[in-house]
C-alpha cells in the first residue's frame, strides 16, 4: 500500500469518526433531555472523536517513516559479512547501496558477491514486513483512537476544551513554520559552506580576485584546481545593482512625488496601477526582454557610436567595445523592474509626512516644488533611504534577468559595457544540471548563497529599522 | 536718501519679480521631471508589451501544406486487414519520402531530396502512421492531408515570403531550391496558415513546430495546486495565531521577525533550501511539482501571511466584542465571525501570492525543474517543468522559431497573471464595498 | 500612584441588599500598573434595573465589563476582589467564561450586529450554547426574542436580510434580542442609547423597562435623565471609586455624598 492510499484511508476514517461522534452525542443527549443538557455542542464531541482518530494515526505514519529505514539498516548490517563491517563508512555506504539495489531487483547478486545473499534476503524480508505492518498498525491505531474518543462522549464532559486546545496547537505549529524555514535556510547554506571552506580557504574566497570554478577532470589539464575568488562576482553584482538603482531611484521617486503631490485622484487611480504592472511581470520575462531586445539594442547603439567616432576622429569613441552581454543592458532592465518598488515605498513614506508641515511651508509663500524639496523630501528622507536599501537588496538578489542577460565571464571591471557576472548567476550556473555534493564547485554555490543571504538580510534589517523609526517619528 | 530708498525698493521689486519668475520656472521644471518619470515608466510598460506581442503573435499561427497522399498498401507492405502491431512495424518513413519524391519530381540530387524532406515536420511519418492506426480503412485510398511545415518553412512563409524586404530583414534559412518548391506550393494554393493548436496541445519538443506549452501549463497548475493547498491554510492559521491568540512574548516576536525577513529573502535562496533540504536530506526526487510546490509554499507564505494579517486587523473589534459578549469562546469568535469577514482580504492576498509563485523561475531551476520533458505530467510526482522555466529554456534555444514560441509562451503567462491580478482587484473592490 | 498604599473609603447610601443577584466586594481593576477601579463594594438585586452614572473616565464601563469578564480580552487588565453571581465566584479558575457570559449577557454602546442575516444574529447564541434541538424550536425562540424586543412586526418579513441594513435603533434592539435569546440572568448594557436618536432611545428605554420583569439589568449611562427614567437604583462613580449607591429617586433628589450632589447639579461633568 503506498503512502497516498494510506493518507486517504486516514482521512476517510477521520470523517467517519466525526459523523459517528455526532450521532453518538445525540444518543447521549437523549436520556438527559436533549442537546441543551450536554456540556457542549455535538459538533465538539464529533471533532474530538475525529481528532482522536486522526492524530495518533498520523503520528504512527510519521514516526514509522522517520525510523523505518534506520531500524532496517541496523538490522541488515548485522547480517553483512564481516569484511564489509570493517570497511570505513564511505565504502560501506557504497556496498550497502548495492545491497539495496539488488534487493529491489536492480543488478544481480553475482556481481555483488554471494556472501551478501543473507543481507539481501534480510533486507527484502524486512522491507516486505514494513510495507505490510505500517498500514495495519496505522489502521489499528486509528480504530483504537476512535474508540477512545467514542468513550469520551459523555454528557458531563466538555469536549470543547480539548478541541480548542488542539486548534490552538495547530495554529502555533503553523506559525512556527516561519522559524523552521529560516533555520532551514541557515542550516542548508551554512553546512555546505563549512564543507566548502574546508576545501577552499576562507580568505582565498573572500579576497580572491579570480573566479573560475570549472575544475578539470584530469589533473594535468590547465586550471586544474579551479579558483574561487569572490571579488569579481561582488564587483559585477554591485555594478549591475548600481546601474539598476540609478534608473529606478530617480524615476521611482519622481513618479511617487508627482503622484502623491500633483496628480489628481483620477490620474493617480489610472497611473498607479499602470506602473504597478511592471512589478507584476515575472522576472523571466524581463530576462528575455533584456537578452533579446535591450542587449542587442545597446550593442547596436555602441557600434554606431564607434563608427561615428572613427569617422570623426574621436579616439575614445572609436575604441568603444560593447559586449553582447553588457552589464548595462541587464542593469537597465533590472532598474525598470524595480521602479514600482521604489515608487510605492516612496509613496507610502511621502504620504506619512504630516499635512501640517506642508501647510507651514505654503504659509510662508513657498511654491509646491520648494515645499517638496525643502520640507517634505528632508522629512521623508529616512523612509526613502530605507526604501532604497530594500530596493538594493532586491537588485542584489535578483536572478533571472542576470542569468539570461548578463554573462558568465567573471571580469573584474567597472565598465558597464563589458560583460560581468553576479553572485546569483553563479549560484544558478553551478547548481543547474548534475551535481555531486562533494565537489568544491557545487559547494561554492552554497557559500555564495550564504554570502547572498547575509548581505540581503543585513540590508533588510537595516532598512526595516530605518523605516520603522521614521514611522514612529510621525505616529 | 528717500530717493535711494525708493530706488532700492524698485530694485527689490524688480529682483523679487525676477526671482518669482525663476521660482515659477523651477516649479514648472520640477513638475515636468515628475511627468517625464511617469511617462518613462508607462513607456517601459508599453514597449515591453508591444515588443513581446509583436515577437510572439506569429506563434499562434502555423503553416500547413495540404498534400494529397495515397495510402498505398503495397508501398507500406500492409495486407487487407492489418493489426495495429503490423501498422506500427510498417515503414512509414520510407513511404513518406517516396510519396514526396513522387509529388515533387523536381528534386533530383540527394541534397535536393533531403532538403525536400526537411520542409516538412520530422514528425509527419509518425502522424501518418497514427492516422492509419486510428482508421485502417483509409488504406488504399487517397486522402487530403494537412502536413505540418517545418519551422524554417513556417518562419520564412510567415515573415518573409511575398514581402519586398531588403536583404538585411529577410529571414530565410531555406535554400533556393526549397524556396522554389515553396513558391510552387503557394501558387497551387496548398499552403495555408491556421490557428496553431499544436502550441496548446503538445508538450516540449526539440522541433519548434511541434513544441507546445501544454506540459508546462499542466506542470504549473500542479505546482501551484501544491502551493495553494499548503500555503493557504498555513498562512491563514499563522495570521490568526499572530493576530488573535499569540501571547506577547519572545517567541511571538521571533516569529514575526522571521516572517518579515523571509519576505525579503531572494528567491534563489529558497531554491538552495529546497535542494539541500527536500532533495538531499529528505530524499525527494528532483524535477517534480511536489518539491516545486513545497519550495514555492515557503516562498509565498510571508506574502499571504502579511496580507491575511491586515485583513484580520481590518475586521472591526465591535464584532469580536459582540460575539464574546454572547458567550462565544475565542475560537468560536474567530471561526464564526472574524474569519468570514476577513476572507475576501485573505483570498486577495492568496491570489497575489499565487501570481508571484506562477511567475517564479529561479528556485525551480535549483530543484531541477529545468529538465527537457516531453511528456505531460500526470501527477505531482511526475517530472515536470513550469511555464516560466519553459520560457527560460526556449529563450536559450538557437532556432529563430523558438524566439517566437518564447514570446507566445510569455503572452500566455502574462494572460494568466493578468487574470489572477484582476481577480484580486475585483475581490478587493468587493471587500471595500462591504465595510 | 495609589496602588502601593491601599486607600479605603466608605460608599455612601445603601450599597448592600439581602439576597443579591450579584455581589461585589473589594473589587480593584488595574490596567498594567495603573489602577482604574478602587475597592468597589456593591450588591446588585434580583430583577432590578441599576444604573451606573458618573463623569467620563470614572470607571463605570470598566466596572460593568468586570461583571461578565469582558475585561479578560484586554491582556494588560487585571481584576482582584470578590465578584459573585449568586453563590458562584465568577473569577474562580474553574469557571468557564463562556458559560458565565451566557448567564450575564451584554449590550454594547454602538449597535454591533454580526454582518449576517437578522435570523442568524438572533440564532447565534442558541447555536453556540446548544439551546435548541430542532429547527422548529429555534424558530420559536427567535420569534419570541424578537417579539419581546418589539421588533418582530418590523422584521418578520425580512429575517434573511442582512442585519446591517436595519436602522440604528432597530439594530440596537436586535442586539438586545440577540442577548435575551440566550435567556441570561443579568444583562449588562454599556451606554446602549448613546449612538441613537431620541425616538429610538425612547423605544429602547421602554424595552429596558419591560425586560426588568424577567431580567436583572445593569446599565451604564452618561445621561442622568435616562438613569432617572429607567432605573430603580443608581450608583455614582467618581475617579474609579464608587461614591454612592441608593434608590434612584433618592440619588437625584437627596444625595448623601457631596460629590454626587455636585455631579447631579452639574458642577462636575
Amino acid at each position: 500500500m503506498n503512502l497516498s492510499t494510506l493518507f486517504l484511508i486516514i482521512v476517510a476514517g477521520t470523517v467517519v469518526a466525526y459523523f459517528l461522534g455526532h450521532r453518538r452525542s445525540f444518543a447521549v443527549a437523549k436520556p438527559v433531555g436533549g442537546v441543551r443538557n450536554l456540556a457542549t455542542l455535538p459538533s465538539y464531541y464529533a471533532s474530538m472523536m475525529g481528532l482522536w482518530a486522526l492524530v495518533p494515526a498520523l503520528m504512527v505514519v510519521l514516526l514509522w517513516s522517520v525510523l523505518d529505514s534506520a531500524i532496517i539498516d541496523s538490522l541488515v548490517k548485522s547480517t553483512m559479512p564481516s569484511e564489509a563491517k570493517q570497511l570505513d563508512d564511505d565504502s560501506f555506504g557504497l556496498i550497502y547501496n548495492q545491497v539495496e539495489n539488488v534487493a529491489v531487483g536492480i543488478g544481480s547478486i553475482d556481481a555483488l558477491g554471494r556472501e551478501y545473499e543473507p543481507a539481501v534476503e534480510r533486507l527484502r524480508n524486512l522491507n516486505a514486513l514494513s510495507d505490510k505492518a505500517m498500514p495495519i498498525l496505522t489502521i489499528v491505531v486509528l480504530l483504537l483512537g476512535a474508540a477512545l474518543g467514542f468513550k469520551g462522549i459523555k454528557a458531563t464532559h466538555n469536549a470543547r476544551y480539548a478541541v480548542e486546545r488542539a486548534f490552538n496547537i495547530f495554529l502555533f505549529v503553523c506559525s512556527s513554520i516561519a522559524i523552521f524555514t529560516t533555520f532551514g535556510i541557515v542550516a542548508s547554506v551554512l553546512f555546505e559552506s563549512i564543507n566548502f571552506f574546508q576545501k577552499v580557504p576562507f580568505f582565498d574566497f573572500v579576497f580572491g580576485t579570480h573566479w573560475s570554478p570549472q575544475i578539470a577532470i584530469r589533473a594535468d589539464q590547465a586550471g586544474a584546481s579551479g579558483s574561487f575568488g569572490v571579488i569579481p562576482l561582488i564587483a559585477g553584482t554591485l555594478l549591475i545593482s548600481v546601474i539598476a538603482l540609478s534608473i529606478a531611484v530617480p524615476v521611482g521617486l519622481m513618479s511617487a512625488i508627482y503622484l502623491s503631490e500633483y496628480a489628481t485622484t483620477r490620474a493617480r487611480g489610472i497611473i498607479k496601477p499602470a506602473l504597478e504592472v511592471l512589478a507584476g511581470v515575472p522576472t523571466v520575462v524581463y530576462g528575455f526582454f533584456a537578452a533579446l531586445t535591450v542587449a542587442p539594442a545597446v550593442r547596436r547603439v555602441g557600434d554606431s557610436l564607434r563608427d561615428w567616432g572613427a569617422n570623426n576622429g574621436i579616439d575614445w569613441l572609436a575604441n568603444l567595445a560593447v559586449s553582447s552581454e553588457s552589464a548595462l543592458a541587464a542593469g537597465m532592465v533590472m532598474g525598470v523592474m524595480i521602479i514600482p518598488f521604489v515608487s510605492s515605498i516612496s509613496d507610502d513614506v511621502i504620504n506619512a509626512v504630516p499635512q501640517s508641515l506642508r501647510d507651514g511651508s505654503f504659509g510662508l509663500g513657498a511654491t509646491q516644488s520648494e515645499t517638496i524639496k525643502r520640507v517634505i523630501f528632508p522629512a521623508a528622507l529616512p523612509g526613502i533611504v530605507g526604501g532604497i536599501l530594500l530596493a538594493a537588496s532586491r537588485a542584489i538578489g535578483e536572478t533571472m534577468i542576470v542569468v539570461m542577460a548578463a554573462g558568465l565571464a567573471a571580469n573584474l571591471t567597472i565598465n558597464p559595457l563589458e560583460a560581468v557576472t553576479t553572485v546569483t548567476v553563479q549560484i544558478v550556473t553551478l547548481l543547474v544540471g548534475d551535481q555531486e555534493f562533494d565537489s568544491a564547485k557545487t559547494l561554492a554555490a552554497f557559500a555564495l548563497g550564504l554570502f547572498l543571504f547575509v548581505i540581503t538580510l543585513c540590508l533588510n534589517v537595516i532598512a526595516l529599522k530605518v523605516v520603522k523609526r521614521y514611522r514612529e517619528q510621525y505616529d | 536718501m528717500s530717493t535711494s530708498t525708493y530706488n532700492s525698493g524698485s530694485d527689490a521689486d524688480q529682483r523679487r519679480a525676477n526671482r518669482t519668475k525663476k521660482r515659477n520656472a523651477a516649479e514648472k521644471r520640477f513638475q515636468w521631471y515628475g511627468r517625464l518619470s511617469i511617462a518613462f515608466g508607462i513607456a517601459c510598460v508599453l514597449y515591453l508589451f508591444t515588443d513581446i506581442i509583436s515577437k510572439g503573435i506569429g506563434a499562434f499561427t502555423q503553416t500547413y501544406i495540404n498534400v494529397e497522399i495515397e495510402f498505398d498498401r503495397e508501398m507500406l507492405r500492409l495486407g487487407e486487414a492489418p493489426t495495429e502491431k503490423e501498422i506500427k512495424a510498417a515503414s512509414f518513413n520510407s513511404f513518406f519520402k517516396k510519396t514526396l519524391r513522387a509529388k515533387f519530381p523536381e528534386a533530383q540530387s540527394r541534397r535536393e531530396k533531403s532538403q525536400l524532406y526537411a520542409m516538412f515536420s520530422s514528425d509527419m511519418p509518425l502522424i501518418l502512421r497514427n492516422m492509419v492506426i486510428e482508421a485502417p480503412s483509409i488504406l488504399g485510398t487517397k486522402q487530403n492531408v494537412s502536413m505540418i511545415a517545418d519551422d524554417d518553412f513556417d518562419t520564412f512563409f510567415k515573415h518573409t515570403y511575398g514581402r519586398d524586404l531588403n536583404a538585411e530583414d529577410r529571414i530565410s534559412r531555406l535554400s533556393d531550391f526549397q524556396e522554389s518548391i515553396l513558391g510552387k506550393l503557394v501558387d497551387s494554393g496548398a499552403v495555408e496558415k491556421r490557428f496553431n493548436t499544436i502550441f496548446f496541445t503538445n508538450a516540449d519538443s526539440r522541433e519548434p513546430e511541434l513544441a507546445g506549452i501544454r506540459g508546462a501549463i499542466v506542470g504549473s497548475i500542479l505546482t501551484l495546486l501544491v502551493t495553494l493547498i499548503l500555503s493557504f491554510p498555513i498562512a491563514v492559521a499563522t495570521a490568526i495565531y499572530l493576530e488573535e491568540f499569540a501571547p506577547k512574548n519572545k517567541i511571538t516576536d521571533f516569529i514575526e521577525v522571521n516572517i518579515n525577513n523571509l519576505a525579503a529573502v531572494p528567491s534563489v535562496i529558497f531554491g538552495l533550501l529546497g535542494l539541500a533540504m527536500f532533495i538531499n536530506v529528505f530524499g525527494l526526487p528532483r524535477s517534480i511539482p511536489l518539491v516545486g510546490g513545497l519550495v514555492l509554499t515557503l516562498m509565498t507564505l510571508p506574502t499571504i501571511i502579511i496580507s491575511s494579517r491586515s485583513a484580520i486587523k481590518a475586521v472591526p473589534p465591535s464584532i469580536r466584542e459582540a460575539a464574546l459578549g454572547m458567550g462565544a469562546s475565542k475560537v468560536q469568535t474567530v471561526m464564526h465571525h472574524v474569519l468570514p469577514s476577513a476572507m475576501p482580504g485573505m483570498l486577495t492576498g492568496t491570489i497575489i501570492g499565487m501570481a508571484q509563485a506562477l511567475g517564479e523561475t529561479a528556485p525551480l531551476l535549483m530543484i531541477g525543474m529545468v529538465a527537457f520533458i516531453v511528456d505531460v505530467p500526470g501527477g505531482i510526482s511526475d517530472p515536470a517543468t513550469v511555464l516560466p522555466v519553459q520560457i527560460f529554456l526556449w529563450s536559450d534555444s538557437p532556432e529563430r522559431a523558438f524566439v517566437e514560441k518564447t514570446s507566445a509562451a510569455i503572452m500566455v503567462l502574462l494572460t494568466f497573471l493578468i487574470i489572477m491580478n484582476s481577480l484580486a482587484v475585483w475581490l478587493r473592490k468587493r471587500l471595500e464595498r462591504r465595510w | 500612584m495609589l496602588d502601593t498604599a491601599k486607600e479605603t473609603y466608605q460608599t455612601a447610601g445603601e450599597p448592600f441588599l439581602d439576597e443579591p443577584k450579584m455581589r461585589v466586594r473589594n473589587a480593584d481593576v488595574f490596567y498594567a500598573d495603573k489602577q482604574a477601579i478602587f475597592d468597589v463594594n456593591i450588591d446588585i438585586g434580583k430583577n432590578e434595573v441599576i444604573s451606573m452614572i458618573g463623569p467620563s473616565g470614572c470607571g463605570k464601563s470598566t466596572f460593568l465589563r468586570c461583571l461578565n469578564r469582558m475585561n479578560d480580552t484586554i491582556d494588560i487588565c487585571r481584576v482582584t476582589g470578590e465578584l459573585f453571581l449568586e453563590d458562584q465566584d465568577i473569577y474562580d479558575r474553574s469557571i468557564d467564561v463562556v458559560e458565565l457570559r451566557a448567564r450575564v449577557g451584554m449590550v454594547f454602546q454602538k449597535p454591533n450586529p454580526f454582518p449576517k442575516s437578522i435570523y442568524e444574529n438572533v440564532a447565534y447564541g442558541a447555536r453556540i450554547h446548544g439551546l435548541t434541538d430542532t429547527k422548529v424550536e429555534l424558530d420559536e425562540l427567535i420569534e419570541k426574542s424578537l417579539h419581546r424586543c418589539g421588533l418582530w412586526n418590523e422584521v418578520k418579513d425580512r429575517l434573511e436580510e442582512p442585519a446591517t441594513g436595519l436602522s440604528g435603533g432597530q439594530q440596537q434592539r436586535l442586539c438586545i434580542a440577540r442577548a435575551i435569546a440566550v435567556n441570561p440572568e443579568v444583562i449588562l448594557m454599556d451606554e446602549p442609547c448613546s449612538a441613537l436618536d431620541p425616538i429610538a432611545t425612547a423605544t429602547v428605554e421602554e424595552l429596558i423597562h419591560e425586560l426588568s420583569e424577567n431580567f436583572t439589568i445593569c446599565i451604564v449611562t452618561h445621561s442622568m435623565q435616562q438613569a432617572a427614567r429607567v432605573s430603580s437604583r443608581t450608583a455614582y462613580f467618581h475617579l474609579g471609586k464608587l461614591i454612592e449607591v441608593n434608590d434612584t429617586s433618592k440619588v437625584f433628589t437627596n444625595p448623601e455624598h457631596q460629590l454626587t450632589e455636585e455631579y447631579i447639579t452639574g458642577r462636575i461633568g
Side-chain angles (χ1 to χ4, degrees), chain A residues 44 160 164 172 174-175 182 184 188 254 258 262 282 289 293 365 367-370 404 431 435 437 449 460, chain B residues 23 27 31 35 37 47-48 51 55 238 241 258 264 269 272-273 276 280 286 329 332 395 407 410 417:
Chain A
Y44 281 105
R160 184 168 61 81
E164 292 193 347
F172 178 72
C174 285
S175 311
T182 310
S188 40
M254 280 312 294
Y258 189 85
Y262 290 105
F289 183 64
T293 305
T367 64
Q368 199 157 0
S369 65
E370 285 162 350
M404 294 167 82
L431 286 182
Q435 324 115 7
F437 258 75
N460 290 327
Chain B
R23 285 171 65 196
E27 171 75 33
Q31 285 195 29
R35 288 197 192 110
S37 297
Y47 185 52
L48 182 66
D51 185 54
K55 279 202 180 107
T238 306
Y241 181 76
N258 270 306
I269 302 269
L272 290 177
L273 168 75
N280 278 348
R286 306 170 120 256
S329 69
Q332 285 171 331
S395 72
S407 305
I410 289 176
L417 289 175

Side-chain angles (χ1 to χ4, degrees), chain C:
Chain C
M1 284 287 160
L2 292 155
D3 53 346
T4 40
K6 187 146 177 151
E7 206 184 346
T8 52
Y9 63 93
Q10 201 68 46
T11 300
E14 289 174 21
F16 305 122
L17 301 169
D18 302 332
E19 288 193 34
K21 185 77 196 169
M22 295 193 86
R23 187 156 57 84
V24 179
R25 296 292 179 271
N26 310 106
D28 294 309
V29 180
F30 302 89
Y31 287 113
D33 294 336
K34 200 173 162 292
Q35 188 163 6
I37 298 282
F38 297 87
D39 195 28
V40 167
N41 293 282
I42 190 172
D43 284 343
I44 295 162
K46 212 172 183 130
N47 293 3
E48 73 169 355
V49 178
I50 178 166
S51 57
M52 324 251 169
I53 59 171
S56 51
C58 67
K60 52 192 192 297
S61 284
T62 304
F63 176 71
L64 191 77
R65 293 166 66 97
C66 292
L67 298 177
N68 73 344
R69 292 182 58 175
M70 278 304 282
N71 283 335
D72 286 15
T73 56
I74 302 162
D75 281 336
I76 53 165
C77 183
R78 192 158 53 84
V79 180
T80 61
E82 290 175 14
L83 289 94
F84 279 79
L85 175 60
E86 293 186 326
D87 52 359
Q88 207 160 39
D89 181 356
I90 63 176
Y91 279 84
D92 192 272
R93 276 174 169 277
S94 66
I95 281 283
D96 187 350
V97 277
V98 164
E99 273 148 38
L100 171 70
R101 288 178 193 150
R103 292 175 67 189
V104 184
M106 186 148 190
V107 175
F108 296 85
Q109 190 168 354
K110 237 183 84 195
N112 54 358
F114 300 125
K116 300 183 180 204
S117 70
I118 294 169
Y119 184 95
E120 280 305 318
N121 262 282
V122 186
Y124 185 65
R127 284 195 205 282
I128 56 170
H129 294 298
L131 298 180
T132 53
D133 283 345
T134 61
K135 171 94 171 105
V136 181
E137 276 179 34
L138 185 61
D139 287 346
E140 272 170 25
L141 176 70
I142 286 162
E143 185 177 344
K144 201 177 88 186
S145 308
L146 286 170
H147 252 307
R148 288 171 88 170
C149 297
L151 212 54
W152 176 251
N153 288 328
E154 293 166 48
V155 301
K156 67 177 175 211
D157 299 324
R158 44 174 177 148
L159 288 175
E160 294 309 321
E161 283 174 33
T164 40
L166 296 173
S167 74
Q170 284 174 323
Q171 284 188 12
Q172 194 62 303
R173 280 186 286 150
L174 181 71
C175 291
I176 296 173
R178 187 174 70 182
I180 63 174
V182 187
N183 198 23
E185 295 158 42
V186 182
I187 303 173
L188 309 176
M189 297 188 178
D190 189 356
E191 305 195 18
C193 300
S194 64
L196 304 184
D197 62 69
I199 296 170
T201 303
T203 327
V204 171
E205 280 178 8
E206 206 170 300
L207 174 62
I208 293 169
H209 192 73
E210 283 164 23
L211 291 176
S212 66
E213 280 174 32
N214 305 81
F215 303 96
T216 303
I217 296 174
C218 293
I219 175 168
V220 163
T221 173
H222 60 269
S223 149
M224 281 180 278
Q225 290 80 356
Q226 184 171 58
R229 284 194 298 265
V230 299
S231 64
S232 54
R233 281 168 84 224
T234 295
Y236 173 68
F237 282 80
H238 187 85
L239 293 179
K241 289 174 186 162
L242 179 57
I243 303 301
E244 180 168 352
V245 184
N246 230 326
D247 286 342
T248 300
S249 55
K250 203 155 174 219
V251 169
F252 284 108
T253 54
N254 187 18
E256 280 179 33
H257 200 286
Q258 196 199 339
L259 281 170
T260 318
E261 189 180 342
E262 282 174 13
Y263 180 69
I264 61 167
T265 53
R267 264 173 283 169
I268 317 174

Side-chain angles (χ1 to χ4, degrees), chain B residues 62-121:
Chain B
Q62 164 70 36
T63 310
Y64 288 86
I65 307 146
N66 295 318
V67 179
E68 195 174 58
I69 289 182
E70 185 179 2
F71 288 88
D72 192 71
R73 278 180 209 280
E74 226 153 274
M75 244 200 278
L76 284 164
R77 300 212 183 94
L78 286 170
E80 213 31 66
T83 61
E84 198 177 316
K85 208 172 157 194
E86 281 168 359
I87 299 175
K88 278 189 177 160
S91 173
F92 276 89
N93 231 335
S94 64
F95 162 73
F96 179 64
K97 287 180 179 168
K98 264 186 214 158
T99 312
L100 284 184
R101 282 201 301 269
K103 290 270 167 201
F104 303 97
E106 53 269 55
Q108 290 297 323
S109 67
R110 238 186 132 85
R111 243 187 71 182
E112 283 173 346
K113 279 177 194 167
S114 70
Q115 282 179 356
L116 172 66
Y117 309 144
M119 292 178 72
F120 299 88
S121 170

Side-chain angles (χ1 to χ4, degrees), chain B residues 134-148:
Chain B
E134 232 167 73
S137 59
I138 61 170
L139 275 175
T141 62
K142 280 185 178 173
Q143 297 285 329
N144 218 339
V145 180
S146 286
M147 307 238 256
I148 304 166

Side-chain angles (χ1 to χ4, degrees), chain A residues 10-336:
Chain A
I10 293 176
V11 170
T14 307
V15 172
V16 170
Y18 180 90
F19 284 107
L20 276 179
H22 208 260
R23 276 182 51 186
R24 172 68 182 167
S25 59
F26 276 97
V28 166
K30 213 158 221 170
V32 296
V35 170
R36 78 197 69 185
N37 292 324
L38 290 178
T40 188
L41 297 173
S43 59
Y44 281 105
Y45 289 114
S47 308
M48 178 186 73
M49 188 163 156
L51 283 173
W52 268 109
L54 176 73
V55 176
L58 274 185
M59 298 272 235
V60 169
V61 175
L62 213 71
L63 276 181
W64 195 285
S65 326
V66 171
L67 298 179
D68 184 49
S69 60
I71 292 173
I72 289 182
D73 283 3
S74 71
L75 286 176
V76 171
K77 252 173 220 170
S78 63
T79 59
M80 295 279 261
S82 52
E83 67 263 33
K85 284 182 201 160
Q86 282 153 8
L87 293 168
D88 63 296
D89 281 357
D90 282 350
S91 339
F92 185 82
L94 281 176
I95 290 194
Y96 192 80
N97 268 342
Q98 278 176 296
V99 170
E100 279 180 328
N101 283 341
V102 173
V104 293
I106 307 165
S108 84
I109 182 80
D110 295 322
L112 183 62
R114 281 281 159 198
E115 65 272 26
Y116 288 98
E117 195 147 23
V120 170
E121 208 42 42
R122 188 78 195 265
L123 182 62
R124 217 175 260 162
N125 290 339
L126 284 172
N127 275 338
L129 183 70
S130 163
D131 284 351
K132 280 206 195 78
M134 180 170 78
I136 293 174
L137 183 67
T138 309
I139 292 170
V140 167
V141 168
L142 187 140
L143 291 177
L144 277 179
L148 255 173
F150 192 79
K151 277 192 75 179
I153 302 177
K154 296 195 188 95
T156 50
H157 172 69
N158 195 336
R160 184 168 61 81
Y161 300 139
V163 173
E164 292 193 347
R165 204 173 312 130
F167 182 74
N168 262 314
I169 292 170
F170 168 74
L171 293 186
F172 178 72
V173 169
C174 285
S175 311
S176 52
I177 286 177
I179 297 180
F180 288 124
T181 309
T182 310
F183 279 140
I185 289 175
V186 172
S188 40
V189 293
L190 201 61
F191 286 133
E192 308 294 356
S193 301
I194 290 171
N195 283 339
F196 173 74
F197 288 125
Q198 278 164 356
K199 290 178 198 284
V200 177
F202 181 72
F203 286 103
D204 288 3
F205 178 71
V206 176
F207 297 114
T209 55
H210 188 64
W211 175 271
S212 68
Q214 299 308 329
I215 297 172
I217 300 162
R218 291 196 321 273
D220 56 326
Q221 276 177 311
S225 61
S227 53
F228 296 93
V230 81
I231 298 277
L233 305 190
I234 298 176
T237 308
L238 284 182
L239 178 61
I240 290 182
S241 304
V242 166
I243 297 171
L245 288 178
S246 60
I247 288 180
V249 170
V251 174
L253 191 58
M254 280 312 294
S255 311
I257 289 175
Y258 189 85
L259 284 178
S260 60
E261 300 291 325
Y262 290 105
T264 58
T265 326
R266 230 179 93 91
R268 196 181 146 89
I270 298 166
I271 296 169
K272 222 176 151 191
L275 279 180
E276 264 156 25
V277 168
L278 286 175
V281 173
T283 53
V284 69
V285 177
Y286 282 114
F288 176 76
F289 183 64
L292 270 93
T293 305
V294 180
V298 167
R299 202 190 151 96
R300 268 202 302 278
V301 170
D303 284 352
S304 53
L305 275 179
R306 186 183 55 205
D307 294 347
W308 185 80
N311 292 338
N312 292 277
I314 304 169
D315 274 351
W316 64 271
L317 261 185
N319 292 327
L320 200 69
V322 182
S323 161
S324 60
E325 292 174 325
S326 60
L328 188 63
M332 270 162 46
V333 173
M334 195 189 281
V336 170

